[in-house]
Amino acid sequence: MRASENSKTQQPSGKTGDNDKTCFIKTYGCQMNVYDSQRMEEALSEAGYRPVAAADEADMVILNPCHIREKAAEKVYSELGRLKPLKQQNKHMVIGVAGCVAQAEGAEIIARAPVVDMVFGPQTFQQLPAMLGEIADARAQGNKPKLVRTEFPASEKFAALQAAPRKPVTRSPSAFVTVQEGCDKFCTFCVVPYTRGEEVSRARADIIAEARALVAQGVCEITLLGQNVNAWAHDGMRLDGLLAQLGEIEGLERLRFTTSHPRDMDAALIAAHGDNEKLMPYLHLPVQSGSDAILKAMNRKHTAADYLALVKKFRAARPDLALSSDFIVGFPGETEEDFAATMALVEEVRYAQAFSFKYSPRPGTPAADAENQVDEAVKAARLKDLQALLNAQQMAFHQAQIGKTLPVLFDKLSKSGDQMSGRSPYLQPVHVPLGDVDAAALRGRILPVEIEAAHANSLSGILSI
Ligand code: SAH
Ligand code: SF4
Ligand code: F3S
């Protein structure tokens, strides 16, 4: 996933004065944050802002950070520390903090880092041009305004997204489309229900319109996003129906969706993995733990057996499905037996890839107050063991691709300029040497590649055309 995005700017309220304003957006966290940053960039472009590659060239800097774990959330303050001298040099500079950290910490951010001028949550970024106008007007009168906008109108956000159809700023043949916001699950470790609010589904027609607009710009792969994307529902339709309708769009070759909750999986969506030809054979289905006691304490509302039964159904529908998951080790009260149950579940599923984390207590979540917190050294040792197993499984999955010919959607030229990379149906990056093939002839096309070698995080091969 791209870790940062750039943006641009112009005079916010159309006033006279310097008319070349620039902007830089730095993104952390999940794909939903990346999507939000892209939409902010579009809103700012509309308002005339020009994107630049670094904060020191920008009049407007937006940090769009993640609150999921302590380390992620703290990054924003070190970044703000680096911005302080830049703001001292450029008195026009506006600094904004967006996203889940903004939602969780609100005005506290300004109290802790007075360099910040505005704080706005994930549901309010459509107000960005108006906020910039307010800041410019107040500064013109000699004031130093501080704006905090952290209301929760998710449906308003979706309405604004629709009111502003997407401009062609796509840099990739693969695009994200947010279809669902928020979470009602309240896993006891997680901040998302507090930072993103309750579950809201975006209207079907809006999603289809956005997908069509993206395809018209050359996009041929769309990943539908939502914290619980498989909870998407609109006018009696569920995600399988939406995927079927999207599959009918000519030129849209690949569909993906993330992230799913095991509880919201239904038979029709499982069947779609066998029936919908555009739906890629890859599923991110977080389980978090293999211990029923821990799953209960996490409020996941499913057991390890429920999860394994789901995996079995998916594999019956799509035998070559690549599975991915998230894991937390060292959740309060996790014993050696609980951890062994997680390792046993991993052994049984055989993942193609996975993300794993040490439990990080988050203020305001129930598990943070539990007394039986696990020692950091124990967490670290368990994470090491789990990651060794997951890495071995990932490598085995990669090795099993050697000798196969996989369709690869080509996207990026390597830094050295002699290799092109893309993604396999199973989402692995695949590198091919360009030889005398022109990079432009490959970009955005899905072409067969014979896989020759497996690496820890990617595959490599040769074009078989
Ligand atoms: N909505 C998705 C993912 C949400 S956050 C889901 O339910 O699967 C992404 C991942 O971060 C989670 O799946 C979890 O593994 C991890 N995570 C969330 N809160 C955490 C915490 N307090 N400490 C460590 N990892 C956490
Ligand atoms: Fe967080 Fe659980 Fe909701 Fe996922 S389902 S976002 S882990 S509360
Ligand atoms: Fe992070 Fe918010 Fe996404 S907390 S993981 S950016 S929903």
Side-chain angles (χ1 to χ4, degrees):
M1 193 195 340
R2 280 157 293 183
S4 66
E5 298 293 319
N6 308 329
S7 248
K8 66 168 123 200
T9 312
Q10 193 198 345
Q11 192 70 6
S13 53
K15 297 214 166 121
T16 53
D18 43 345
N19 50 17
D20 180 34
K21 294 266 185 186
T22 52
C23 180
F24 175 74
I25 304 179
K26 187 153 186 180
T27 313
Y28 312 79
C30 64
Q31 288 103 327
M32 302 198 64
N33 254 16
V34 175
Y35 177 83
D36 285 354
S37 288
Q38 287 168 354
R39 302 307 306 247
M40 283 185 228
E41 182 176 319
E42 289 167 19
L44 287 167
S45 298
E46 281 286 285
Y49 279 66
R50 182 170 62 81
V52 288
D56 57 2
E57 300 165 34
D59 300 308
M60 157 108 217
V61 177
I62 299 175
L63 303 182
N64 192 10
C66 170
H67 202 251
I68 203 82
R69 286 167 290 274
E70 190 181 357
K71 250 196 202 156
E74 282 302 308
K75 266 190 206 157
V76 70
Y77 291 103
S78 46
E79 192 66 37
L80 287 168
R82 284 194 283 277
L83 291 177
K84 207 172 156 187
L86 298 180
K87 198 175 180 192
Q88 280 160 354
Q89 284 160 25
N90 176 1
K91 63 178 169 35
H92 298 296
M93 188 184 260
V94 176
I95 296 181
V97 175
C100 293
V101 171
Q103 194 62 47
E105 299 185 7
E108 273 174 51
I109 297 173
I110 293 174
R112 196 169 152 189
V115 72
V116 175
D117 303 295
M118 55 194 221
V119 171
F120 52 103
Q123 318 298 358
T124 35
F125 68 71
Q126 69 275 14
Q127 298 173 19
L128 193 50
M131 286 189 270
L132 283 168
E134 265 182 64
I135 290 188
D137 291 346
R139 283 186 177 176
Q141 288 167 17
N143 298 323
K144 286 187 180 168
K146 300 282 175 193
L147 304 185
V148 179
R149 299 283 154 79
T150 50
E151 309 85 47
F152 250 168
S155 49
E156 216 175 84
K157 167 175 169 176
F158 285 150
L161 294 185
Q162 184 49 22
R166 298 198 74 167
K167 290 241 145 201
V169 290
T170 338
R171 283 141 288 189
S172 163
S174 178
F176 295 134
V177 173
T178 292
V179 302
Q180 183 269 338
E181 273 278 345
C183 180
D184 298 335
K185 301 290 185 289
F186 290 93
C187 300
T188 54
F189 51 81
C190 184
V191 292
V192 171
Y194 312 97
T195 62
R196 293 266 173 175
E198 62 183 346
E199 283 176 6
V200 186
S201 291
R202 190 173 178 193
R204 182 185 56 86
D206 295 357
I207 298 164
I208 304 276
E210 184 165 327
R212 285 190 188 284
L214 286 163
V215 171
Q217 293 160 35
V219 165
C220 61
E221 175 178 82
I222 287 183
T223 303
L224 304 181
L225 299 180
Q227 265 86 16
N228 284 295
V229 71
N230 56 334
W232 183 88
H234 183 77
D235 272 354
M237 186 180 270
R238 303 268 336 237
L239 197 64
D240 61 290
L242 179 64
L243 288 163
Q245 291 206 341
L246 288 166
E248 285 166 16
I249 298 177
E250 208 176 316
L252 182 49
E253 304 296 340
R254 290 180 162 192
L255 291 166
R256 302 179 184 278
F257 61 91
T258 198
T259 295
S260 296
H261 194 294
R263 264 164 72 191
D264 290 323
M265 240 358 139
D266 60 37
L269 188 54
I270 297 172
H273 286 76
D275 304 337
N276 186 330
E277 284 174 12
K278 306 253 176 107
L279 190 54
M280 290 294 101
Y282 172 93
L283 178 71
H284 183 61
L285 189 63
V287 67
Q288 315 298 352
S289 168
S291 152
D292 288 344
I294 296 297
L295 288 169
K296 189 154 193 272
M298 285 176 164
N299 193 32
R300 293 290 291 182
K301 300 217 167 85
H302 61 79
T303 61
D306 295 336
Y307 182 88
L308 291 170
L310 255 185
V311 166
K312 212 170 159 189
K313 285 185 196 162
F314 269 104
R315 285 195 165 136
R318 182 78 203 223
D320 65 335
L321 190 75
L323 273 155
S324 162
S325 179
D326 293 341
F327 295 91
I328 294 178
V329 298
F331 183 84
E334 187 187 72
T335 62
E336 281 302 326
E337 289 72 36
D338 294 321
F339 177 64
T342 299
M343 295 290 274
L345 181 138
V346 173
E347 295 275 11
E348 188 157 349
V349 173
R350 292 170 287 108
Y351 288 98
Q353 73 110 58
F355 303 94
S356 47
F357 314 98
K358 286 191 281 184
Y359 169 68
S360 168
R362 307 304 293 129
T365 60
D369 298 328
E371 275 166 19
N372 46 359
Q373 299 289 332
V374 174
D375 190 76
E376 274 304 312
V378 173
K379 286 185 198 172
R382 289 180 186 167
L383 187 66
K384 199 167 158 232
D385 289 353
L386 176 61
Q387 289 186 338
L389 178 58
L390 290 168
N391 289 341
Q393 292 191 347
Q394 179 167 327
M395 195 62 194
F397 188 92
H398 288 187
Q399 273 162 348
Q401 308 308 314
I402 295 175
K404 287 189 191 167
T405 299
L406 299 179
V408 172
L409 169 55
F410 284 99
D411 187 354
K412 290 189 188 93
L413 188 64
S414 67
K415 277 201 187 106
S416 53
D418 59 355
Q419 278 198 336
M420 193 74 181
S421 68
R423 296 271 177 171
S424 78
Y426 311 105
L427 208 56
Q428 290 85 30
V430 181
H431 308 289
V432 297
L434 267 174
D436 43 20
V437 180
D438 182 17
L442 298 188
R443 193 160 190 278
R445 291 183 66 195
I446 299 172
L447 296 168
V449 173
E450 192 184 327
I451 304 302
E452 291 185 324
H455 316 286
N457 296 307
S458 64
L459 302 169
S460 53
I462 48 162
L463 275 172
S464 68
I465 38 172

